[in-house]
Amino acid sequence: MRIGYTPALQRSIVATVALGLLAVALARPDVVVLMVPFLLHLTWGWLNRPTADVRIEATPRAVVIPEGDSVPFAVTATHPWRGALVTAQWPMREGVAFDPDTATVMDDDSGTEMVIEPERWGRYPIEPATVSVRDLSGSWGWVGETSKVAVTVRPASATLEGGSGVAHPIGIVGAHRSRHRGDGSDLADVREFRPGDRLRRINWRVTSRLGLLHVNSTLTERDTDVLIVADTLLDVAPADPDGSTSLDATVRAIAAISRHYVGFGDRVAAHDLGRRVGHVPPGSGPRQARVVLNVLSRANRDVGDWQLLRRVPRLASGTLVFFCSPLLEREAADELVRLRRLGAEVVGVDTLPVGVGEFDDVRTFDRDSYVGEAWMIRRMERDDVLVRLRSLGIPVTPWRGSGSLASVLLEMEAERSVPRRVMGR
């Protein structure tokens, strides 16, 4: 948009011409006195006439930040005047706070800086800001828009507390101690030297005490497959509008679990039973952790509830499965049991928000409706499902942060040291 004259300059032109004609027609020199202020404004505006166009720059246009951070958004305007009044105004957007709130007067030299503060993870397209530039005489003006800003907020991925929870690794290289002897760092026992043993395995202390060569026998370290299943068929919201929904808990749980097991060198994958998050193919290493976070940050909150469940297509026996679900749909509970029967080590992660369906939450509903009573019945049915799952040997623990799975993982990992009966002996 090019610079144009303002209504103030237009009024000065009309008033000057009208008063001049009136003074000549009526032969009234005193009318000329009334014309002087408008004539001075016209002269000031003529001296400030623009010689170049206005250019605005806004940075950044796209940015990726972790959850909890803010983004400084700088706007600068280049104009042909020595002094000007420059203002910027941003449209409000749900889920994003602005500092300053809506509009600000920009510094003529350094521009202005607005801070974008997303409330939680996700993708936030910020609409262009409207920038207005006027010279000090108010005769010339320019109005334009900045470019759109795309802010991607990655979910918080705190490291899980507790062990690995891997009782029976299924890979050949990794950080999980196995029962098989071979090259590793965990000591199994000390035995006499045999032909073929490596010299660096010699235990010189035992050798000097017994007089015969002895070597250290170690346990191999292996990896495993980790599959994180996300039940996004429903997004259950608590009574508090600012509270975390079941989708928030699911996304944060996936971020923390994937980061935890990528650190062990495991192959991590994600499967969505609905269509809010999407699928992540198996992978390992730091790159896989970034891939998972990128997929989670693009999760769609606006998708409606979905009734068609997409099952896990295939699963290797011994895979460690984390099933993140509010466990309100019978189909989701059936899929959890099916994965257990396929030979997976399954851990249920309860993502239902705190208080949903409880008595304090029910009292927030209208007394003339039966929504509160319906939620109480749904909650009791869900409690019965949890009891049946635990009776099948499937641990279910609510997600309350990075320490939620500590006790379950430590119990599962302890199974590696439990003595087993060997058939035929």
Side-chain angles (χ1 to χ4, degrees):
M1 182 177 179
R2 298 188 62 83
I3 300 175
Y5 57 84
T6 63
L9 182 63
Q10 187 177 10
R11 287 193 297 268
S12 295
I13 294 174
V14 173
T16 301
V17 173
L19 291 175
L21 293 177
L22 184 63
V24 172
L26 300 179
R28 295 280 303 273
D30 55 330
V31 178
V32 177
V33 178
L34 301 177
M35 185 181 65
V36 171
F38 300 103
L39 186 60
L40 291 176
H41 183 248
L42 281 176
T43 303
W44 191 11
W46 175 257
L47 295 176
N48 283 341
R49 65 187 184 278
T51 57
D53 205 357
V54 176
R55 296 196 306 269
I56 57 174
E57 295 181 1
T59 54
R61 296 187 178 181
V63 66
V64 179
I65 61 174
E67 191 173 12
D69 281 8
S70 58
V71 182
F73 181 62
V75 180
T76 57
T78 304
H79 52 78
W81 301 291
R82 291 185 178 180
L85 177 64
V86 186
T87 61
Q89 183 174 3
W90 292 272
M92 301 300 292
R93 190 192 189 285
E94 184 180 359
V96 179
F98 297 91
D99 185 22
D101 292 338
T102 55
T104 183
V105 178
M106 297 171 54
D107 189 286
D108 192 34
D109 297 326
S110 60
T112 188
E113 185 175 276
M114 181 264 294
V115 178
I116 303 174
E117 301 176 353
E119 294 180 357
R120 59 187 71 183
W121 60 269
R123 288 176 61 87
Y124 297 90
I126 308 300
E127 294 299 321
T130 302
V131 180
S132 175
V133 182
R134 295 219 174 175
D135 71 312
L136 296 181
S137 68
S139 303
W140 307 96
W142 180 92
V143 178
E145 292 184 342
T146 64
S147 56
K148 288 186 177 181
V149 182
V151 179
T152 302
V153 183
R154 290 176 173 174
S157 57
T159 303
L160 287 181
E161 299 177 8
S164 66
V166 179
H168 312 294
I170 60 178
I172 58 175
V173 177
H176 305 297
R177 187 181 64 188
S178 70
R179 296 174 178 270
H180 303 279
R181 298 173 186 261
D183 290 335
S185 59
D186 290 329
L187 181 65
D189 60 10
V190 179
R191 59 173 176 78
E192 290 187 6
F193 180 86
R194 299 172 185 170
D197 288 338
R198 296 184 179 181
L199 297 180
R200 62 185 180 88
R201 295 288 185 183
I202 296 177
N203 190 322
W204 293 106
R205 289 186 177 181
V206 177
T207 299
S208 62
R209 187 172 65 250
L210 299 180
L212 295 175
L213 278 178
H214 281 70
V215 295
N216 294 327
S217 177
T218 57
L219 298 174
T220 60
E221 294 163 339
R222 307 174 66 181
D223 61 357
T224 194
D225 291 338
V226 177
L227 174 63
I228 309 173
V229 179
D231 174 14
T232 63
L233 299 175
L234 300 175
D235 187 13
V236 184
D240 182 8
D242 296 328
S244 298
T245 66
S246 62
L247 181 60
D248 291 326
T250 298
V251 166
R252 290 173 182 139
I254 295 174
I257 295 170
S258 61
R259 177 182 177 183
H260 185 67
Y261 284 95
V262 163
F264 284 109
D266 295 325
R267 295 175 299 278
V268 178
H271 176 84
D272 187 9
L273 299 181
R275 53 176 183 169
R276 284 186 169 95
V277 175
H279 306 285
V280 179
S284 59
R287 181 181 179 276
Q288 182 70 0
R290 293 193 296 270
V291 169
V292 173
L293 288 180
N294 290 334
V295 171
L296 294 177
S297 62
R298 294 194 297 268
N300 193 348
R301 296 177 179 274
D302 300 327
V303 174
D305 293 340
W306 187 248
Q307 300 299 325
L308 181 61
L309 181 144
R310 296 187 289 187
R311 287 188 165 190
V312 177
R314 53 186 174 272
L315 188 71
S317 179
T319 301
L320 180 58
V321 177
F322 291 91
F323 198 95
C324 304
S325 169
L327 295 173
L328 290 173
E329 294 292 326
R330 180 180 59 83
E331 292 81 1
D334 292 344
E335 179 69 5
L336 177 58
V337 175
R338 185 181 76 90
L339 296 177
R340 182 68 180 88
R341 291 176 176 173
L342 289 176
E345 298 181 47
V346 183
V347 178
V349 181
D350 182 7
T351 59
L352 187 71
V354 179
V356 172
E358 296 181 356
F359 182 72
D360 293 337
D361 180 59
V362 168
R363 291 189 301 177
T364 61
F365 294 100
D366 189 359
R367 294 184 178 180
D368 296 334
S369 68
Y370 295 98
V371 177
E373 289 79 359
W375 263 114
M376 290 189 69
I377 296 174
R378 190 77 175 272
R379 182 70 184 235
M380 290 187 291
E381 294 175 348
R382 177 181 175 278
D383 292 341
D384 185 54
V385 171
L386 297 181
V387 172
R388 293 203 302 269
L389 291 176
R390 293 189 177 103
S391 67
L392 295 174
I394 302 175
V396 180
T397 180
W399 177 258
R400 300 295 181 262
S402 59
S404 305
L405 305 177
S407 59
V408 175
L409 295 180
L410 290 174
E411 290 177 4
M412 295 176 62
E413 190 173 1
E415 294 183 8
R416 290 190 300 203
S417 58
V418 175
R420 293 191 172 188
R421 180 181 177 184
V422 181
M423 301 301 294
R425 293 187 180 178

